[in-house]
Amino acid sequence: MSKLANVDSLSPAELRMLIRQEDPRIRITSGLANGYQQACVIILPKNLANDFEELCHKNPTPLPLLHRSQPGETLCLPLAKNVDIRTDISLYSVYDEGRPVKTVSNLKSYLTQTRSTSEQQAEHHGSLSDMVCFYLGCSFGFEGRLKRAGVPVRNVEQGKKVSMFKTTVSCFPVGAFRCPLVVSMRPIPAGMLDAAVEITHLNPAAHGAPVHIGDPALLGIQDLSRPDYGDPVEMQPGDVPVFWACGVTAMEALLSSKVSLAFTHSPGCMFLTDIPDSTPTSILSPPTRGVDPLITDLSPELIPLCFQISHNPLLYSLASKRAVTKIRQLESTIGQDPGQRGIRALFVQDELLLSCLALSHATSVAIATGFPTHFQHSPPDETDGRPGAIAMATMLLSLGKQVTMITDRRALDMNQAIIDEAVSSGVLKTAIPLVTFEGSGPDSALLFLCHHGDPSKPRYDHLVAIQRNGLAADGNYYNTRGINIKHLVDPIDDLFVAAKDIAGITTIRISDGGNELGMGKLKEQVKALMPRGGLIACDVPADYAITAGVSNWGGYAVACGLFLLHTCPSHQRYRNRGQRLEPITPQIIQDWTANLPSVDKEESILSVLVKYGIRSGKTGHLDMEVDGLTFHPTHSDIITRLLGVTGDSTTLKR
């Protein structure tokens, strides 16, 4: 068997035999034993074994525990037969006081039968009976399935070890073990991301789905050509960097522990198991708490789909098929046009989904609203926009985001009073900072958006405009009747224009016509299809453009979409870089549910607007209506239907 020229087609058992014989053809195991799981191996003193096992349980994505041996055990019958772990890895790393000091081809001279203490100390060798071996899932275990699906594995193509990088993401510490998350990177063609995500999601024993897709700097990785472990792997045109949690995280844990003597596989030189890569996780290592519980439910509806949500920096996000389907149902619900204004012509598929995904990754969100269409009245504002803005802000706050509202100077006192009443009535969880922007100088937008005007330090990572009038091509602001209302509007558009050149700020608009801020993305359609479109069309684009029959409905749908994403295991796992968080308790769900829009809350906030003299946009009526549509039954029915899509309507109705 050792004379065979091609080792690629050999079984794991045949390959282990060659490795035991120190066959020089076998070193890196990526690309070998296709169709079978591979494993990282950590061998450490038994006095640290319980802490290390707990480290695996608290960090199951980078450290998916397949098997823990008994002290002194060289076999691992759950994973493979006829094994001697001292000889069956092609290259081992030796750790002395927590530092890697050398690599060796076998451990027989280190892990011996029990000898006298003086002999062990003199040679710094250990007794096998004092050591415990841990076997952790490895991403090499899914490379075979990627190749069978036609997804290129660039490191195998280039004959290199996979690139591995330390990140700025901290793992949960246990005892002496404290370490950063280590990730492996594989370039994947953009058109094959969904396939790569699905294949790896279905193999949780090999780290599961990616923990990050896009700009490596978001993980604290500055240069893909300088990996901390492995080799640099070249990207091909059209490739996207995709990062999976990596078992080399365990080696970083050893560094922090300063363990007197330990051994691991050398990066890229894995233990080859006899377990097929399609084997259910549940039979690998009972109890199953060794593998991330967020990814052990492999139901088809929970398979993640991949979406690009930012170009600068490049960022993709994941959400389950079930969550995506529900958010698309929300989008369909708000796309109705009871006012018969032709807004379906401005509808773009999945803008709600992409906006919700982007906002789910947000830290600090600024929301602008206010449309003074009734220039002959005081106040000139309409009832559309503010309720949707408050609904979004309420959900964002409950999810731990920072929220700021931007308003015109003329409406500052009125909007502050409305927010105060929303808080006192329980519609808003807490007060929202209210700010103005009047564009006092050439750098005022940059100074507003970024700390000290530094583009590398944005104050907000998302700008949202909901029913906010937008700047037309001629420099004026128009209502739908073509009346110039520029004298009532502060230049908040300047913030959206400036944000286009600031990495890390995403812009979103929610509107129901063509003259709102952010509609520049669809200005040609507005000009061609909407009444007076050539005059009123907004010239300022947003990254994402949610179109709704009434803008408030778009705000309600965003709140519901965020709820769906934060109760989606696939999305939560990805958003948290695979780090295991405390479970979402019924109390947390109850809090999020309480912060969804409801018929009672939205009726309450509309009554507050009417109290302050704010009128319906289409009719100018000072009544319980928005855009000429009475709250009951039109708006209340939409809210009820949105809640019905979001969850059990009997549970969510308040």
Side-chain angles (χ1 to χ4, degrees):
M1 181 171 59
S2 62
K3 295 181 180 179
L4 292 174
N6 185 2
V7 298
D8 294 351
S9 60
L10 297 182
S11 71
E14 291 171 324
L15 289 166
R16 287 197 303 272
M17 185 60 68
L18 292 180
I19 290 170
R20 190 177 298 180
Q21 297 169 0
E22 300 187 7
D23 190 302
R25 292 173 297 167
I26 305 176
R27 186 56 59 92
I28 300 171
T29 58
S30 179
L32 297 180
N34 285 322
Y36 292 88
Q37 303 282 6
Q38 298 192 28
C40 308
V41 173
I42 309 295
I43 305 172
L44 42 67
K46 62 184 180 182
N47 66 301
L48 292 175
N50 287 343
D51 277 356
F52 188 81
E53 181 175 357
E54 187 62 21
L55 182 75
C56 295
H57 295 327
K58 288 187 176 296
N59 300 278
T61 304
L63 306 174
L65 180 57
L66 305 182
H67 178 62
R68 170 184 170 170
S69 78
Q70 295 298 317
E73 184 180 24
T74 60
L75 302 176
C76 57
L77 289 178
L79 304 182
K81 297 179 180 178
N82 302 319
V83 167
D84 185 339
I85 198 56
R86 299 172 300 171
T87 60
D88 291 359
I89 291 176
S90 58
L91 195 65
Y92 299 82
S93 293
V94 180
Y95 284 73
D96 183 356
E97 302 300 329
R99 308 300 301 181
V101 293
K102 66 167 70 173
T103 57
V104 295
S105 59
N106 70 75
L107 298 178
K108 279 192 170 180
S109 64
Y110 284 87
L111 295 178
T112 63
Q113 299 302 319
T114 304
R115 299 183 297 171
S116 69
T117 302
S118 60
E119 287 179 313
Q120 293 175 33
Q121 291 176 343
E123 300 179 30
H124 202 68
H125 291 187
S127 168
L128 185 60
S129 63
D130 294 330
M131 308 297 279
V132 174
C133 187
F134 288 86
Y135 299 81
L136 310 175
C138 172
S139 60
F140 289 4
F142 59 60
E143 289 183 339
R145 296 188 71 183
L146 289 176
K147 290 198 293 184
R148 293 196 296 275
V151 179
V153 182
R154 301 295 188 204
N155 52 293
V156 176
E157 291 178 349
Q158 297 169 23
K160 296 179 177 180
K161 294 181 182 179
V162 71
S163 300
M164 292 162 276
F165 301 88
K166 292 185 286 187
T167 72
T168 53
V169 179
S170 296
C171 291
F172 288 98
V174 175
F177 298 112
R178 300 172 184 275
C179 59
L181 172 69
V182 177
V183 293
S184 62
M185 188 283 293
R186 291 169 179 81
I188 303 291
M192 294 184 173
L193 287 173
D194 273 331
V197 168
E198 178 172 346
I199 288 166
T200 58
H201 165 79
L202 294 173
N203 196 343
H207 303 296
V211 297
H212 179 64
I213 304 173
D215 190 343
L218 296 175
L219 291 176
I221 300 168
Q222 301 304 319
D223 188 349
L224 289 179
S225 69
R226 301 181 64 185
D228 296 295
Y229 300 91
D231 300 321
V233 177
E234 295 178 12
M235 306 264 291
Q236 300 301 311
D239 282 352
V240 175
V242 182
F243 300 86
W244 282 268
C246 180
V248 172
T249 300
M251 298 180 182
E252 289 293 316
L254 289 181
L255 295 180
S256 69
S257 72
K258 296 182 170 52
V259 56
S260 59
L261 182 65
F263 310 94
T264 71
H265 69 284
S266 181
C269 307
M270 318 308 295
F271 174 71
L272 305 175
T273 80
D274 294 336
I275 303 298
D277 57 16
S278 57
T279 299
T281 301
S282 59
I283 73 169
L284 289 179
S285 179
T288 57
R289 65 190 284 257
V291 177
D292 191 345
L294 289 181
I295 54 173
T296 51
D297 185 346
L298 303 181
S299 306
E301 64 178 5
L302 296 183
I303 291 173
L305 298 174
C306 183
F307 300 90
Q308 184 175 351
I309 60 171
S310 173
H311 294 273
N312 186 22
L314 181 65
L315 179 62
Y316 289 75
S317 190
L318 305 182
S320 70
K321 291 181 179 179
R322 180 170 64 188
V324 169
T325 297
K326 283 182 171 288
I327 293 174
R328 286 172 174 164
Q329 290 172 353
L330 295 175
E331 189 170 58
S332 176
T333 300
I334 66 172
Q336 297 179 55
D337 187 12
Q340 301 297 311
R341 291 184 293 173
I343 60 96
R344 289 294 301 175
L346 305 179
F347 176 82
V348 180
Q349 176 72 36
D350 283 343
E351 294 290 281
L352 174 64
L353 172 63
L354 296 173
S355 298
C356 290
L357 285 168
L359 286 168
S360 181
H361 288 265
T363 299
S364 179
V365 182
I367 302 174
T369 190
F371 202 124
T373 189
H374 301 302
F375 60 94
Q376 73 276 34
H377 291 285
S378 180
D381 302 85
E382 62 168 303
T383 49
D384 198 11
R386 283 176 179 81
I390 289 173
M392 285 189 292
T394 299
M395 181 52 67
L396 288 165
L397 287 169
S398 74
L399 298 176
K401 317 293 187 184
Q402 298 175 26
V403 181
T404 302
M405 299 280 279
I406 310 175
T407 185
D408 297 297
R409 171 68 66 179
R410 60 164 183 81
L412 180 61
D413 291 341
M414 179 184 69
N415 284 327
Q416 186 63 64
I418 291 170
I419 288 175
D420 291 344
E421 290 211 27
V423 173
S424 64
S425 65
V427 172
L428 256 179
K429 187 174 183 178
T430 186
I432 305 170
L434 190 64
V435 300
T436 62
F437 174 76
E438 299 176 76
S440 57
D443 295 326
S444 57
L446 186 62
L447 289 167
F448 183 95
L449 293 173
C450 302
H451 295 284
H452 310 295
D454 183 349
S456 68
K457 299 177 180 178
R459 184 175 280 112
Y460 312 103
D461 47 46
H462 287 73
L463 299 181
V464 182
I466 176 169
Q467 194 62 13
R468 172 73 196 179
N469 43 316
L471 186 70
D474 65 2
N476 292 312
Y477 295 83
Y478 296 96
N479 65 15
T480 55
R481 300 173 183 83
I483 305 299
N484 186 359
I485 53 175
K486 184 176 182 178
H487 61 292
L488 297 171
V489 181
D490 288 343
I492 293 173
D493 304 68
D494 291 354
L495 302 178
F496 281 67
V497 173
K500 289 190 298 183
D501 298 321
I502 300 173
I505 301 182
T506 297
T507 56
I508 298 168
R509 71 90 180 147
I510 303 171
S511 65
D512 56 14
N515 54 348
E516 298 95 341
L517 174 54
M519 278 299 293
K521 182 175 182 177
L522 301 172
K523 65 180 178 181
E524 296 308 318
Q525 293 94 314
V526 173
K527 290 178 180 179
L529 301 172
M530 302 304 289
R532 305 181 186 87
L535 174 68
I536 70 172
C538 175
D539 202 45
V540 179
D543 295 319
Y544 298 112
I546 300 170
T547 300
V550 175
S551 294
N552 284 340
W553 301 352
Y556 305 154
V558 167
C560 291
L562 287 169
F563 177 93
L564 289 168
L565 290 175
H566 278 254
T567 53
C568 168
S570 298
H571 179 70
Q572 285 300 91
R573 175 185 179 276
Y574 180 83
R575 195 176 67 85
N576 293 301
R577 312 296 195 205
Q579 295 300 89
R580 184 175 179 180
L581 300 180
E582 292 300 317
I584 298 175
T585 64
Q587 290 76 18
I588 293 173
I589 294 292
Q590 184 177 10
D591 179 66
W592 291 346
T593 301
N595 285 287
L596 283 166
S598 71
V599 171
D600 290 345
K601 287 193 293 185
E602 300 316 314
E603 187 173 24
S604 172
I605 197 66
L606 180 57
S607 68
V608 172
L609 299 187
V610 173
K611 169 185 170 181
Y612 282 93
I614 298 175
R615 300 169 180 268
S616 174
K618 185 175 182 179
T619 64
H621 293 163
L622 190 60
D623 206 346
M624 292 292 288
E625 67 175 51
V626 180
D627 283 347
L629 304 168
T630 57
F631 186 80
H632 293 289
T634 304
H635 300 285
S636 60
D637 178 64
I638 290 291
I639 295 166
T640 300
R641 290 168 62 189
L642 291 174
L643 293 177
V645 172
T646 305
D648 180 355
S649 60
T650 61
T651 300
L652 297 180
K653 188 174 181 180
R654 287 171 55 81

